[in-house]
Amino acid sequence: MERKIPVAVLGATGAVGQRFVQLLSDHPFFEVTSLAASERSAGRRYADACRWVIPGDPPASLKEMIVSPLEANLPARLVFSALPADVAREVEPRFAKEGYAVCSNASAYRYEADVPLVIPEVNGDHLALIAKQRETRGWRGFIVTNPNCSTTGIVMALKPLHEAFSLSKVFAFTMQGASGAGYPGVPSLDILDNVIPYIPGEEEKIARETRLLLGGVEEGEQRQAKISISAHANRVPVIDGHTIALSLGFERPPTPEQAIEVLRSFRGSPDVHDLPSAPNMPIVVRAEEDRPQPRRDRDTERGMAVSVGRVRECPILDLRLLVVVHNTIRGAAGGSLLNGELLVKRGLVK
Amino acid sequence: MERKIPVAVLGATGAVGQRFVQLLSDHPFFEVTSLAASERSAGRRYADACRWVIPGDPPASLKEMIVSPLEANLPARLVFSALPADVAREVEPRFAKEGYAVCSNASAYRYEADVPLVIPEVNGDHLALIAKQRETRGWRGFIVTNPNCSTTGIVMALKPLHEAFSLSKVFAFTMQGASGAGYPGVPSLDILDNVIPYIPGEEEKIARETRLLLGGVEEGEQRQAKISISAHANRVPVIDGHTIALSLGFERPPTPEQAIEVLRSFRGSPDVHDLPSAPNMPIVVRAEEDRPQPRRDRDTERGMAVSVGRVRECPILDLRLLVVVHNTIRGAAGGSLLNGELLVKRGLVK
Amino acid sequence: MERKIPVAVLGATGAVGQRFVQLLSDHPFFEVTSLAASERSAGRRYADACRWVIPGDPPASLKEMIVSPLEANLPARLVFSALPADVAREVEPRFAKEGYAVCSNASAYRYEADVPLVIPEVNGDHLALIAKQRETRGWRGFIVTNPNCSTTGIVMALKPLHEAFSLSKVFAFTMQGASGAGYPGVPSLDILDNVIPYIPGEEEKIARETRLLLGGVEEGEQRQAKISISAHANRVPVIDGHTIALSLGFERPPTPEQAIEVLRSFRGSPDVHDLPSAPNMPIVVRAEEDRPQPRRDRDTERGMAVSVGRVRECPILDLRLLVVVHNTIRGAAGGSLLNGELLVKRGLVK
Amino acid sequence: MERKIPVAVLGATGAVGQRFVQLLSDHPFFEVTSLAASERSAGRRYADACRWVIPGDPPASLKEMIVSPLEANLPARLVFSALPADVAREVEPRFAKEGYAVCSNASAYRYEADVPLVIPEVNGDHLALIAKQRETRGWRGFIVTNPNCSTTGIVMALKPLHEAFSLSKVFAFTMQGASGAGYPGVPSLDILDNVIPYIPGEEEKIARETRLLLGGVEEGEQRQAKISISAHANRVPVIDGHTIALSLGFERPPTPEQAIEVLRSFRGSPDVHDLPSAPNMPIVVRAEEDRPQPRRDRDTERGMAVSVGRVRECPILDLRLLVVVHNTIRGAAGGSLLNGELLVKRGLVK
C-alpha cells in the first residue's frame, strides 16, 4: 500500500465511535479524514462535540477536526459505523449506494440474508455475499457487519470446538460490562451494588447471530447452523469486558483436554494473521482455576483476543467453560476494524 | 412459652455470627445468654472482640457481654453455630453430645446421612432423622444444618416446581455477593470492576445439597433426588444477595404461566407459617422484565423470602427463570434461626 | 389531630419524589391524596409512570393512583415539592398563590430573602419569614425550603459548635453518593472505579446555604452569618450517603473533648423532638477511629440523624471532624417532610 | 552503559513488588537477576509464589525464576525494596551494609536524618546525604527512599508553586484507591458502596514527608520546610489512583492563571528528563472542569505524571486545586525505580 486509505467514522462522538477513533490513530492501512455524527454535533470541533469517556484523550491530530453531518459525501472510501441501530438503518444504505464500503457495528442490517455478518478468524468466507448484495440492491458499495459484543466472544470460543466436535447445544450465561450499553447508558443507581438480569434483545441476538456465524453461505445467502441456544443475559458492575459461562453439547463429545488442545491450536483463516489489528492468538486459554476475569484479562492482545478458562466437564451436557471478551474493542470497534482490514487484504476496498 | 429459651451463638464475632446476633435481638422465643468464639476473642467484651461489619451497631444489650470460649458448658439449651467448617467439625459434636440442640450454618455435617439438612418450608419432615442420629451416635443433643447460601435460594424456588412437575435437569448460574465469603473475605482488589468466576467447592455444594433437600428420608437416611444439576458459580461486585439464573427440565413440562401459578401459591409446611422469622410469602414472583435484582429485592420480607422473576421458556430445556436470595439472612443466619424456631414448634427444643 | 391533613407530592415520579412517597406512607399527620408530575407522567397509574429506584416497592395504596398534572387544583392543603429547579420556579408560586403550603426541596426559591430555608433543629425560628412573604407577594399560601443535601449534614453538625464557640472558618470537603444527582443521574461509566471531582453549583450552594442557616432573621429578612467557607465537592461510587470532612476555625476554640460534649448534647428546638420524623438524637457521635462511614451509618435513626466522628485537632485551624448524612432522606425528602411536620406543630398548616 | 546493571526486587510477590517486576521488564538500565521474598515464598517458582493481582501476566522471562530468601547475598548491585515496614527495618540495613544500593519504597527509614527521601524532579539534590549516611553508619552501600503514595502526588504539584510563591499552609483531602493498602488489603465488604474515612498513619506521613521533600539539606541532614499541613485521608472504591483536593496558602499569593502557568512550565531537574521512566511532563494540567479523575487520568505518561486540575481561588486561603497520582506506579514502584535510574545517572550505582 503506498498511500493510506481515507476512512470516516460515522457516530464518532459516542462510546463505540471513540474506540474507533482511538484504534484508527496511527493505523497502517487507514487515515481518518472525516468524523461524522448527528446534527447536534456536526459543525463543532471534535474535542468539543465529544465527551471522551474512555481513558486518556482523543488523538491530538483529530481534536481540531470539525464534525461532519451524516451525509454520503465524505472524502473516504471506507466508513466505519458506530451509529445507533435506528439511525444506521437510514444512513448506512445511503453510503453503500454511493459506493462506500460500510463496516457497521450496528445491528440494523446484521440479519439481512445478503449482508455478511463476519468475524475474520471465524467466517471470512461470508464476504462472498458482497457480490450478491451489490447486484440485488444495485449498490456501488456494500455493507459488512460484525456481531454483537457478547456473541463475538462466544463464537470465537465456539468456532474451533464446532469444527472439531460439531456443536448441538449451547447454554450461554452472560455477565456484561456497563460499557456495552454505551454512554450515558446504564445509570449508576441501577448498577452499583447490583445486577440487572435483563438486557433488551440480547438473548435473541446471541442465539441468532451465533447460528449465522457458525453457519454457511449457500446460493448467496447465509444459512443458520443447526444449534440450539439458550441465553441468559445479565449486566454487572464491571466497566469493560463481558464474561460468559457456557455449557455445551456436541455430536462427538470431546474430553476437556481435547477441547483445550483444539482451543489452543486455533488460528483462524491464514489471511487474517498478519492484519494489523489481528491478535497473535485469537484464543488465549488460561490454566488458573479462577480465570479469565474481565478486569485482568480483557486487555489481552490489546483487547483483540478472547480468554478462555475453566474448561471442565458438564454434569448434563459435555463441557463447561468460561469466556472473557473486551466488548468495546474485540466486540465492537476492534471487530469492525478487523473486518475493514480484511476487506483491504482481499481487495474489496482499494 | 412462658420463659424464653436460653441460646448461645458459636462463632459470634464473624460476619454470619453478627447476623445471628442481630436477628436474635428481641426474639420472641429465644434469649441470647452466651456469645462464644475462638480463643482470640474469648474473654473480651463483645463490642471489642467483634469488628461489626453489617449496618448499624451490635444490640446495646449484648455489647458488654464477655465472649465465652467454645466449650460445651454454656448456659443455653440451643446453640446457633456460625463456625468455620473445620472448627465446626470439632466443636459441634461436643455440644450435641452434652445435650445441646445445635443449629449449624457450617457445612461440616451437612452431608452425614443422619444429620438433617433443612429448609423449613421445603423439607421440615427431614427432622425425623434426629431420633436416628441420637441413637446411633449416643448423643443427648443433636445437630440440624441448613444449606449453603446459593442452594437455599435455588431450592426454595425449585421445591413447588419439583412437586408439581417433577424436575429432571437444572442449570444453575450464580452471581454471588461478596458477603458470602465472610469477613475479611474477598479482597477489594479482586472484585472492584471485576468478576471472579470461581468459588471453591460451591458448584459441588449446589448439586449435592439440592438433591438432598428435594430428596426424601427413607429408613432413617436421606436419599438424593434423581435430578441432574450443572452449576456455574461466580462472584460479582455486590455486597449482599445472590442472583441465580436457572434453566430447568421437567418430566411434565409446565408453561411459564403454570410455573408462575405454582410459585405464587407456594406456602410450605403449614406449621412453618406462624414462626417468628417465617416470611408471609416464601416466594415473591416479580412481574417486571428486569427483576429480581439483588440490591432492590434482597430485603424482601426482612430478607427471608426469595424473589423470582423472568419466568419464560427455555429454547433447550423447558423453563428459564431468575432467583434472588439474601445470602446472609435467608441463606445463612436467618435460615438457621428458622430451623431453630421449627425445633421449638415441634417440641424438639423445650 | 382528628383527621389527617391531605397532602400532594409534586414531582412524585423522580428519585426524591419516591422518597417522599415512601416516607409519607402511614404517616400520622399526613395522607397522600395526589401524586403530581410532568405531562409525560400525568394520567398514568403511578406504578406505571414511575421507575421505582429505591429498595422495595411503592406503597400498595398508591400504586393505582392516577398521576395528576402540575396544576394548583389538587385536593391538598400542603404540597411537598421534589421538582427540578427550573420547573419549581414556575410551578411552586402558583401553588403558594392559591393557598397551598409548599415544602420545597428544590433550590429555586432557597435564596429569596423572604423564603425560609429551614432545618427544624437548627433554625425553626426562620419560619417567621412566612408572614412577610405572604404580605409582600400577596399569596394566600407560602413556600418553605430545605437546604441542599450536603449542606444539611454540614449545618446540623456545625450548629451546636457555632452556638457554643462561634465559627469563623469552614473547610468542607465532600464525598457525595450518586443518588444526590437523581435518576438516571450519574452514568455508571463515569463513576465505576472513579471519582468525579466536580458537582455543578454545589460548592457555592454549600457556602451560601450554610451562612443563611447559621444566620439570623432581621427585619423580616434572612441575614448571612459571618463565616468564611471553602468547599470542595466530589462524587464517589457510593449509592446513598454524603461523607464530609471538615476543618473548622472558631472565635473561641474548643478542645476536641469540648466539641464532642457539645455535639452529644445537641437536641435542637424543643418543639421538634416529638415530631414523627424527628430523630431521637439529631447528632450521633461515633467513637471508632474509622467511622462514620456512609454505608454503615447513613440509616442511623431511619436516615434522619447525622453521624459525626474523628473529632480531633486541626494543625492549621482548630478542629477536624467527619460527617455522614443520608442525602435523599435527611438531606432531601425527610428534611422537607420534617419541615412540613413543624408547620403543623406551629399551626401554620391546619 | 555496555552491560545492564543486575538488580533484585525484595518483597517481589506483593502488590508493589509485582509493579517493580512489571516496570523492570525490558528496562534499558537494569536486569532482574533475583526476586526475593519472605520464607513462605522462597524456593518456589515466582509464578507459583505470587498471586498476580495487576492486569496481565508476570513477564515470561521471570515466571520460572526461583524466589530467593531475603539474604544479602543476591547477585545484584541495586535492590528495589517493596517490603512491609517492619521487615524492611530489619532487612534493608543488612543489604546496605553489604554494599548494595537500596531503593526502598518502605517507610522504615524515610524519617532518618541521613537517609534521602527523594522525588527526582523535586529534590534530587538530597542524594547528597548518601555520603554522610555511609560514613556515619559504616555502610558500603546505602538506602534511598521515596515518599508515600499520596505525598508523592501532593508534593509534585506543590513543588513549582512553592518555589515560585512560597507555600505557607496546605489543606490536603485525599480519596485514595484500594491498591494503596496492598493485597489482600482492603476487604470488599469494607469498601463496596462505602468510604473508609481513615487510613492509619497516613495523615501524619503526608505532613511530615511533604515538609521533608520541600525542605533542604543542611550540614548533611534534612531540614523540614516551614509549612503548616492539615490532612484528611480517606479510602474510596477506586482500584488505582489517589485523588487529592488541596487548599493552599502562600507568602506571595498567585492568581489561578499564574499558578497554572508555573505548573505547566515545571520540568524538574534537567538530569532527570532523559531517564527511562521519567515522564515528558511531570505535571499535566487539565482544562476540563471535572478533571482530573482517577480512572481516566491515572495512566497519564505510563502512570508517571501527576494530573492537576480545577485550579481556582480559595475563599479562605489562596488557591484550590486537584491532583491525581497513580499510587502504585508514580507513588510507589515507579517512583522508586526513577530514584534508581537517577542513582545510575549520577554515578552512585555503576
Side-chain angles (χ1 to χ4, degrees), chain A residues 171 173 189-190 192-194 197 203 230-232 239 247 292-296 298 310 312 314 320 322, chain B residues 171 173 189-190 192-194 197 203 230-232 239 247 292-296 298 310 312 314 320 322:
Chain A
F171 283 91
F173 301 92
L189 289 187
D190 282 344
L192 286 169
D193 185 23
N194 205 16
E203 296 172 352
S230 175
H232 298 244
I239 299 166
S247 267
Q293 298 171 6
R295 195 181 81 232
R296 290 178 172 135
R298 61 193 172 203
R310 296 202 74 208
R312 61 204 196 283
C314 176
R320 281 177 291 184
L322 273 156
Chain B
F171 283 91
F173 162 80
L189 289 188
D190 282 343
L192 285 169
D193 185 23
N194 204 18
E203 295 171 354
S230 176
H232 298 245
I239 299 165
S247 267
Q293 298 171 6
R295 196 182 79 233
R296 291 181 171 131
R298 62 194 173 203
R310 295 202 75 208
R312 61 204 195 283
C314 176
R320 282 178 289 183
L322 274 157

Side-chain angles (χ1 to χ4, degrees), chain C residues 135-306:
Chain C
E135 185 189 306
T136 314
R137 302 184 186 241
W139 289 347
R140 291 190 293 127
F142 56 86
I143 299 175
V144 170
T145 64
N146 55 291
N148 146 297
C149 44
S150 47
T151 310
T152 302
I154 293 168
V155 168
M156 286 183 66
L158 294 186
K159 172 67 176 179
L161 297 172
H162 182 48
E163 262 186 6
F165 311 113
S166 200
L167 266 171
S168 55
K169 289 178 187 166
V170 177
F171 283 91
F173 162 81
T174 75
M175 295 173 282
Q176 304 186 211
S179 64
Y183 184 86
V186 184
S188 54
L189 290 188
D190 281 344
I191 203 68
L192 286 169
D193 184 23
N194 205 18
V195 167
I196 305 288
Y198 176 63
I199 301 175
E202 191 82 357
E203 295 171 353
E204 295 73 19
K205 285 181 189 170
I206 291 170
R208 191 167 187 178
E209 297 178 17
T210 297
R211 281 193 286 258
L212 284 172
L213 287 153
L214 296 180
V217 168
E218 289 173 31
E219 302 169 20
E221 296 204 351
Q222 296 182 87
R223 305 296 180 196
Q224 297 198 15
K226 293 208 172 74
I227 303 172
S228 299
I229 299 172
S230 175
H232 298 247
N234 302 280
R235 186 80 66 197
V236 294
V238 164
I239 298 166
D240 289 316
H242 290 354
T243 306
I244 304 123
L246 296 167
S247 267
L248 306 175
F250 297 90
E251 305 279 320
R252 301 178 296 282
T255 64
E257 294 68 32
Q258 291 169 328
I260 289 170
E261 172 59 26
V262 157
L263 288 161
R264 284 231 159 93
S265 315
F266 181 63
R267 291 296 176 277
S269 319
D271 66 349
V272 175
H273 297 175
D274 57 354
L275 296 179
S277 300
N280 290 320
M281 300 279 283
I283 297 172
V284 172
V285 181
R286 312 270 337 175
E288 302 90 333
E289 64 190 358
D290 62 354
R291 296 283 278 270
Q293 299 170 6
R295 195 180 81 234
R296 291 179 171 132
D297 295 305
R298 61 194 173 202
D299 291 321
T300 302
E301 301 243 13
R302 296 155 296 123
M304 289 299 288
V306 302

Side-chain angles (χ1 to χ4, degrees), chain B residues 176-200:
Chain B
Q176 305 186 211
S179 63
Y183 184 86
V186 184
S188 54
L189 289 188
D190 282 343
I191 204 68
L192 285 169
D193 185 23
N194 204 18
V195 167
I196 306 290
Y198 176 65
I199 301 175

Side-chain angles (χ1 to χ4, degrees), chain D residues 101-117:
Chain D
V102 179
C103 285
S104 173
N105 185 60
S107 63
Y109 291 92
R110 269 184 210 155
Y111 312 126
E112 307 277 319
D114 61 348
V115 175
L117 175 67

Side-chain angles (χ1 to χ4, degrees), chain A residues 240-303:
Chain A
D240 289 317
H242 290 354
T243 305
I244 305 122
L246 296 167
S247 267
L248 305 175
F250 296 91
E251 304 278 320
R252 301 178 296 281
T255 63
E257 293 68 30
Q258 291 169 329
I260 289 170
E261 171 60 25
V262 156
L263 289 160
R264 284 230 159 95
S265 313
F266 182 63
R267 291 294 177 280
S269 319
D271 67 348
V272 175
H273 298 176
D274 56 355
L275 296 179
S277 300
N280 290 319
M281 301 279 285
I283 298 172
V284 172
V285 181
R286 311 271 336 176
E288 301 90 334
E289 64 191 0
D290 62 353
R291 296 284 279 267
Q293 298 171 6
R295 195 181 81 232
R296 290 178 172 135
D297 296 304
R298 61 193 172 203
D299 290 321
T300 302
E301 301 243 14
R302 296 154 296 123

